[in-house]
Amino acid sequence: MDLKGLVNLLADCSEGLLIFGLVAGIYFFSKLDSIRKFIVFYIALLLITELLSYYVGMTFGSNHMIFPLYCLFELALFIYLYIKYLFKKRHMFTTVLGTLGIGFILYEFIYNFIYHQVSPEEYQPYAKVVDNFVIIIFSLTYLLEKMTTYNESRWDNFSFNIGVLINFTISTIFYLPFNFLVNETSGLKYYFWISNLFLLHAFYVFLIIEMYKNARKNPRLAQAR
């Protein structure tokens, strides 16, 4: 199997992991706390994006216009998660930063796909870099809040935040040279895509484990609520 075939195989595995995660999330849903229920909705977003990207790519020959929309919904979900469930107090800086991030992604989508028709070779995924950057800042703000007030009694929320921080930090490294990787012809790009897919798989497994551990800890959560 060549590198391109391995990339395609790993991409197919991504869909399988997401389907498994969504089914598991639905099965455990009544036993999950609010943060782990968020994971179910997030996995649903990831799976819908995968399927929609495949359909649009097969129908129109290119699916890069889906990417900024995915970034928009991903960022909106994480902003809601941190403000609603993780932050203990309101942080004006993160609120403004999140608003600016969403505004930038909307601007990029309108500019690249409504006013102009940017080709895949010309497209620069600044939306993903902004998406990752804002989520990283939210994650670091949560860590700072816990260090200054330190009353974190739930280690699972702390470890969940660390997993988010690690994933989106490494993801940013992969997406910074995106345009070079799209146009690179030596085959080096496949090593980057393979590494990125392994990172995604590790993050998906992490999310699934988070749901499973939480469901086991809260067997009567649904009744209690």
Side-chain angles (χ1 to χ4, degrees):
M1 180 184 296
D2 59 9
L3 290 176
K4 185 177 181 180
L6 180 58
V7 169
N8 291 332
L9 176 62
L10 290 173
D12 291 338
C13 290
S14 295
E15 293 182 9
L17 271 174
L18 291 173
I19 292 172
F20 175 78
L22 183 59
V23 171
I26 293 172
Y27 177 77
F28 291 126
F29 195 80
S30 64
K31 299 179 181 179
L32 300 177
D33 64 16
S34 298
I35 294 174
R36 276 71 196 177
K37 286 180 179 177
F38 160 84
I39 293 178
V40 180
F41 292 113
Y42 180 55
I43 290 177
L45 170 65
L46 293 169
L47 181 58
I48 290 170
T49 302
E50 288 272 354
L51 298 176
L52 187 60
S53 296
Y54 177 80
Y55 171 78
V56 172
M58 292 295 292
T59 304
F60 300 101
S62 175
N63 58 13
H64 62 299
M65 72 285 295
I66 301 297
F67 197 58
L69 293 176
Y70 158 71
C71 295
L72 178 67
F73 285 107
E74 178 178 65
L75 181 56
L77 278 175
F78 273 93
I79 289 174
Y80 178 79
L81 170 72
Y82 276 90
I83 291 178
K84 179 71 174 179
Y85 297 112
L86 289 173
F87 289 157
K88 298 301 181 185
K89 58 182 180 180
R90 190 174 185 86
H91 300 276
M92 182 59 66
F93 172 73
T94 54
T95 302
V96 172
L97 183 66
T99 303
L100 291 175
I102 289 176
F104 177 86
I105 295 173
L106 280 172
Y107 166 78
E108 181 185 289
F109 178 78
I110 293 170
Y111 182 82
N112 286 331
F113 301 107
I114 296 179
Y115 286 130
H116 302 82
Q117 295 296 320
V118 177
S119 68
E121 293 76 19
E122 298 172 324
Y123 178 60
Q124 293 276 9
Y126 297 122
K128 183 57 178 171
V129 176
V130 169
D131 172 23
N132 286 353
F133 175 74
V134 174
I135 293 173
I136 289 168
I137 295 300
F138 271 65
S139 178
L140 291 173
T141 302
Y142 175 80
L143 289 178
L144 181 62
E145 184 182 90
K146 294 305 114 184
M147 286 188 293
T148 54
T149 60
Y150 205 79
N151 57 1
E152 179 62 51
S153 59
R154 298 191 61 181
W155 167 250
D156 50 355
N157 289 349
F158 197 83
S159 60
F160 169 75
N161 180 71
I162 292 295
V164 169
L165 177 61
I166 292 173
N167 173 74
F168 285 97
T169 300
I170 299 176
S171 174
T172 303
I173 297 172
F174 284 115
Y175 278 99
L176 284 174
F178 182 87
N179 189 256
F180 164 76
L181 295 175
V182 169
N183 297 290
E184 196 272 337
T185 58
S186 70
L188 178 65
K189 61 184 176 184
Y190 292 116
Y191 291 101
F192 277 86
W193 295 135
I194 289 170
S195 300
N196 185 50
L197 284 168
F198 275 122
L199 171 67
L200 287 175
H201 291 178
F203 189 54
Y204 296 164
V205 171
F206 168 75
L207 295 177
I208 293 169
I209 291 174
E210 281 286 308
M211 291 190 298
Y212 175 71
K213 290 192 304 182
N214 187 248
R216 288 193 62 188
K217 288 174 59 178
N218 301 312
R220 298 183 178 85
L221 186 61
Q223 292 86 338
R225 291 185 177 182

